[in-house]
Amino acid sequence: MDLAKHWRLRHARYRLEGQRNRLTGEVRFPPAPLHPGEAEDTWEPYVLSGRGRVYSFSIVRQPPEGFEDQPPYLVALVRLDEGPMVTAQLTDCDLDQAAIDMPVEMVTRRLRDLGPTGLIVYGYKFRPIMQM
């Protein structure tokens, strides 16, 4: 990933900014371009709450290139309170603690280090909601 692309994706990556349909109230994430024939003002920027529930999860024991230092780790499908489903890593959670329907919240964490360029990429992950 180059620096320009990283900069363009910052709102979706750091704030879970999606879009809301002004007519129907539908929320989508990530933001998407207009479909042919859609009015320019059909979709507006919308910051999601960052809260949701684990829909499904998996333990990654053989990670892809660039993530060799992280296994084992949890990856989950999270259904956000507003409706969209996102895939993200679970953090601050033991492997045996993960469960379907577990309430989670979005946090910003380091995703990866791009090596010699010095770019460290941060983004969203989810953690169990802290009990107060």
Side-chain angles (χ1 to χ4, degrees), residues 4-76:
K5 182 177 180 184
H6 175 71
W7 184 252
R8 281 191 312 274
L9 297 174
R10 73 189 183 284
H11 294 299
R13 188 170 286 139
Y14 298 139
R15 295 193 317 203
L16 281 187
E17 185 175 294
Q19 293 171 314
R20 187 177 69 83
N21 187 296
R22 293 176 191 268
L23 301 173
T24 66
E26 175 190 357
V27 175
R28 66 184 181 187
F29 180 84
L34 292 174
H35 294 292
E38 277 188 320
E40 195 68 34
D41 65 346
T42 301
W43 295 91
E44 62 186 353
Y46 184 82
V47 178
L48 293 116
S49 68
R51 291 184 173 244
R53 293 186 170 275
V54 172
Y55 180 81
S56 183
F57 68 92
S58 183
I59 300 171
V60 177
R61 297 184 191 278
Q62 296 179 346
E65 183 178 335
F67 296 89
E68 298 88 353
D69 62 333
Q70 296 186 25
Y73 60 91
L74 293 159
V75 175

Side-chain angles (χ1 to χ4, degrees), residues 64-131:
E65 183 178 335
F67 296 89
E68 298 88 353
D69 62 333
Q70 296 186 25
Y73 60 91
L74 293 159
V75 175
L77 286 172
V78 175
R79 178 157 319 268
L80 298 172
D81 288 349
E82 295 85 357
M85 185 119 48
V86 298
T87 303
Q89 188 173 345
L90 291 180
T91 189
D92 304 335
C93 180
D94 294 332
L95 299 179
D96 60 352
Q97 183 184 4
I100 303 297
D101 208 37
M102 177 174 69
V104 293
E105 63 187 352
M106 190 273 294
V107 292
T108 302
R109 294 285 196 273
R110 178 183 164 278
L111 296 179
R112 60 189 299 197
D113 182 343
L114 296 182
T117 64
L119 182 62
I120 298 174
V121 179
Y122 288 87
Y124 62 87
K125 293 185 181 183
F126 286 83
R127 70 173 178 203
I129 291 180
M130 304 295 197
Q131 302 300 324

